[in-house]
Amino acid sequence: MPKPTELPAWHALQQHAESTAQQHLRTLFATDPDRFQRFSRRYENLLVDFSKQRITSETFELLLELARQAELPAAIEQLFAGQRINHTENRPALHMALRNRSARPILVDDQDVMPEVRGVLEQMRRFADKVRSGAWTGYTGKPIRTVVNIGIGGSDLGPKLVCQALRPYGDPMLEILFLSSIDGAHARHILGRCDPETTLFIVASKTFTTQETMTNAVTAREWLLAALGHEAAVAKHFVAVSTNLRAVQAFGIDPGNMFVFWDWVGGRYSLWSAIGLSIMIYLGYERFYELLDGAHALDEHFRHTPLADNLPVILALLGVWNGNFLAAHSHVILVYDDYLLNLANYLQQLDMESNGKSVDRDGGLVNYSTGPIVWGGLGNNGQHAFYQLLHQGTHQFAADFLAPVHTTDPVGDHHSILLANCLAQSQALMTGRTADEARAELSAQGLKGEALEALLPYKVFAGNRCSSTLLYESLTPRTLGILLALYEHKIFVQGVIWHINSFDQWGVELGKQLTKSILPQLQGRATQVAPDSSTRSLIDYCQQR
Ligand code: G6Q
């Protein structure tokens, strides 16, 4: 595969970006009454409006051509066919198998993985049912009231996002908590909210070797044993989700209380697997299946829809256009939906760990930008905090606005005010405010002369800031499944265009290794010292105090 910068479409896009650099979105809207129809798509209950992106029909065609020249359709087939596209770890990336709701077999090394996938789903269903019905009791015979998922990164962010997002569907008798950070404050805070007799811990770790998770799990076990006094209590209060049976047994968890998944499931793509056990316990299996159904439907859309109407492809190509041709290296996720409080965090990992790469699939350094910096949060709160930079700062960025048309919590006019804010912000970013408009507004307020002219530059908004708006009817399990799969596949498409491996994460290793060498130094039991004066002095400073 040629490097993207060597593709004719890449050069054409560069020239096109130069020749259209002066175009303003206002003009594009003014000169094309059909712009919204041209640049929006619907999928089930989802409307994706990308007409506020800085594109023309020519841009769109060139981007589609780039995807064809990058052999995207073949790459999609390789993904779904279970080829070992994660070449640095010699694995397929087959999270789609976890939500394959069709009868289609999915092969890894000529073996259909679907019977095992369905088997674990069934094991999860039986267990979740028992916990939810009260048939599964703690060591002293009381039903479970609190479930603590102990995991970090991919074994934390997905379940946390989904449990929060689908809270209206959750069992009100159950509280689901997430213990991730190694900071003792987190363990103390979470355990402080739990009653040992009615708490179930899910130790969720693909490797079952992650320092933070194992340390938290040991702390939780000690806490439990101190309260319940007998080793046999562990079997009633701890279950494990992992690929590592031996380590689970060594920890003391009954293999019968272990839920497996497979090395072809990447951590950040794992919420659909047994890593989603906390989700299933909270929502019930029916809702969990609806989540899978939504993601599966989007998988089918991605696999079978022509590029020009293929939502993950469209979002991915817009990201490439923004990042590689318009110098917008930051992608902000603005949710007008409190239930999606954790979406930006979740997508930050999904995107930045997948595409934050600078070595291509051939082992060479890239000479173009890859994954953007992803950040964001609750849009309405952000308006009163960081939006200033979005409207008048010096950085280029692209924004995704997300909002539900209907609310599950009707309170007075709140929802229409919320929606009005969402739509106003993307409009303001797009149109901006010219000097003439600002002058007219200031003079209407009674300002004139020097005072008006002095204030004028501060009142101007350049506009032309690009965004997409994703409106969904309401945040159901199915819709959430669709949305999450949409972003997953978008990230995959971008990895194909950038010719990188989106499924490894070697960049997280070095810090882990250095932690192992610094810890004994901090604890005063090391013979070696850090080679650099900064780290050495910081260790000394901590030790002295
Ligand atoms: C995800 C990453 C990473 C991983 C955590 C937890 O893709 O690999 O976030 O999920 O480091 O790993 P374990 O599940 O093995 O504890």
Side-chain angles (χ1 to χ4, degrees):
M1 249 307 293
K3 303 189 185 314
T5 47
E6 290 166 5
L7 298 173
W10 190 277
H11 293 285
L13 278 160
Q14 275 175 327
Q15 283 168 8
H16 176 69
E18 279 167 35
S19 66
T20 56
Q22 300 309 318
Q23 268 177 356
H24 198 290
L25 274 166
R26 264 188 191 223
T27 321
L28 295 176
F29 272 97
T31 53
D32 180 5
D34 294 332
R35 188 171 170 83
F36 171 79
Q37 275 73 22
R38 201 182 309 286
F39 296 131
S40 61
R41 300 285 185 277
R42 280 171 194 212
Y43 179 74
E44 293 197 5
N45 288 330
L46 180 67
L47 166 68
V48 179
D49 171 20
F50 54 101
S51 61
K52 293 193 184 90
Q53 295 283 349
R54 278 165 54 190
I55 57 168
T56 62
S57 295
E58 190 185 350
T59 326
F60 195 56
E61 283 308 319
L62 285 172
L63 287 168
L64 293 173
E65 184 54 25
L66 178 68
R68 285 188 283 267
Q69 289 179 11
E71 297 170 12
L72 176 63
I76 295 175
E77 268 320 295
Q78 287 165 5
L79 171 77
F80 280 90
Q83 292 194 14
R84 294 177 183 272
I85 57 169
N86 179 356
H87 68 292
T88 60
E89 296 183 301
N90 193 28
R91 294 170 186 168
L94 262 184
H95 37 284
M96 298 81 62
L98 304 166
R99 59 222 191 190
N100 173 22
R101 311 289 289 151
S102 72
R104 186 171 68 89
I106 295 193
L107 305 182
V108 174
D109 294 335
D110 298 328
Q111 281 276 332
D112 182 9
V113 297
M114 288 314 301
E116 267 199 84
V117 168
R118 290 191 194 102
V120 174
L121 265 178
E122 181 55 23
Q123 183 198 4
M124 290 167 65
R125 186 184 72 76
R126 282 197 306 268
F127 181 71
D129 271 358
K130 277 194 214 159
V131 174
R132 287 167 63 83
S133 68
W136 179 282
T137 58
Y139 182 61
T140 58
K142 293 188 180 171
I144 299 300
R145 289 283 167 258
T146 308
V147 176
V148 182
N149 185 84
I150 305 180
I152 195 164
S155 301
D156 167 62
L157 291 164
K160 185 156 69 187
L161 160 76
V162 175
C163 287
Q164 163 74 14
L166 299 177
R167 221 174 43 205
Y169 300 88
D171 183 337
M173 298 302 288
L174 282 173
E175 184 170 31
I176 311 288
L177 301 173
F178 292 88
L179 176 53
S180 53
S181 157
I182 190 64
D183 190 334
H186 199 193
R188 182 172 279 182
H189 172 73
I190 296 288
L191 295 176
R193 292 173 62 180
C194 299
D195 173 352
E197 289 185 90
T198 58
T199 298
L200 175 76
F201 294 97
I202 301 174
V203 186
S205 175
K206 182 173 170 181
T207 54
F208 231 72
T209 56
T210 303
Q211 187 187 43
E212 294 87 341
T213 301
M214 299 327 296
T215 308
N216 276 324
V218 168
T219 299
R221 189 175 56 184
E222 283 168 1
W223 172 86
L224 185 93
L225 291 180
L228 301 185
H230 207 288
E231 194 69 29
V234 173
K236 301 298 285 178
H237 293 268
F238 276 82
V239 298
V241 178
S242 186
T243 57
N244 187 346
L245 172 64
R246 204 176 293 172
V248 169
Q249 277 176 310
F251 183 86
I253 294 179
D254 179 353
N257 295 340
M258 174 181 174
F259 300 81
V260 300
F261 61 115
W262 306 273
D263 73 355
W264 43 263
V265 183
R268 55 194 173 276
Y269 297 87
S270 65
L271 74 88
W272 323 99
S273 72
I275 288 288
L277 183 62
S278 54
I279 305 173
M280 197 193 267
I281 293 175
Y282 188 42
L283 303 181
Y285 76 91
E286 298 95 332
R287 299 302 192 195
F288 189 78
Y289 286 178
E290 284 168 28
L291 180 80
L292 300 185
D293 286 341
H296 174 63
L298 205 282
D299 291 341
E300 294 292 293
H301 164 86
F302 178 50
R303 197 171 177 201
H304 298 297
T305 308
L307 300 182
D309 293 314
N310 191 314
L311 284 181
V313 174
I314 292 172
L315 292 189
L317 292 174
L318 293 169
V320 169
W321 171 241
N322 290 325
N324 296 105
F325 301 96
L326 302 184
H329 303 303
S330 158
H331 188 82
V332 58
I333 307 292
L334 303 167
V335 297
Y336 284 73
D337 185 341
D338 266 44
Y339 289 109
L340 287 182
L341 180 67
N342 296 319
L343 184 68
N345 270 354
Y346 173 80
L347 292 181
Q348 188 173 61
Q349 179 194 27
L350 194 65
D351 202 326
M352 292 174 75
E353 205 166 49
S354 297
N355 286 343
K357 312 280 165 72
S358 49
V359 176
D360 69 17
R361 296 186 75 87
D362 305 319
L365 277 181
V366 303
N367 59 356
Y368 44 87
S369 303
T370 56
I373 296 163
V374 178
W375 61 291
L378 294 179
N380 185 229
N381 289 357
Q383 290 170 217
H384 300 267
F386 58 80
Y387 272 43
Q388 167 63 39
L389 180 145
L390 302 184
H391 286 292
Q392 290 188 313
T394 53
H395 298 282
Q396 296 294 326
F397 63 89
D400 282 357
F401 287 87
L402 289 101
V405 177
H406 301 294
T407 177
T408 39
D409 303 271
V411 180
D413 283 343
H414 285 231
H415 194 65
S416 41
I417 298 173
L418 179 76
L419 273 182
N421 272 280
C422 175
L423 304 185
Q425 290 297 327
S426 69
Q427 186 188 25
L429 289 170
M430 182 270 282
T431 57
R433 187 164 58 191
T434 64
D436 284 348
E437 287 165 351
R439 189 177 281 111
E441 199 178 297
L442 286 173
S443 80
Q445 288 163 9
L447 228 65
K448 50 181 182 279
E450 270 182 29
L452 185 151
E453 293 303 324
L455 196 53
L456 187 63
Y458 303 100
K459 294 283 194 172
V460 171
F461 290 60
N464 215 18
R465 318 257 178 177
C466 48
S467 69
S468 299
T469 300
L470 286 77
L471 294 180
Y472 40 92
E473 290 290 313
S474 63
L475 196 59
T476 61
R478 184 178 177 92
T479 300
L480 185 64
I482 289 172
L483 273 175
L484 298 183
L486 170 60
Y487 278 102
E488 282 181 351
H489 291 316
K490 169 202 152 171
I491 289 163
F492 166 73
V493 171
Q494 293 184 329
V496 172
I497 305 277
W498 290 323
H499 195 45
I500 55 176
N501 179 359
S502 301
F503 298 108
D504 61 11
Q505 57 282 314
W506 300 106
V508 302
E509 295 297 327
L510 179 59
K512 285 189 197 171
Q513 283 167 13
L514 291 179
T515 301
K516 285 197 181 127
S517 96
I518 288 178
L519 181 60
Q521 296 175 57
L522 268 179
Q523 294 176 335
R525 44 181 186 87
T527 44
Q528 282 191 330
V529 289
D532 68 275
S533 67
S534 167
T535 311
R536 202 167 51 241
S537 305
L538 291 169
I539 292 170
D540 286 349
Y541 184 87
C542 293
Q543 271 195 320
Q544 283 157 18
R545 281 158 180 79

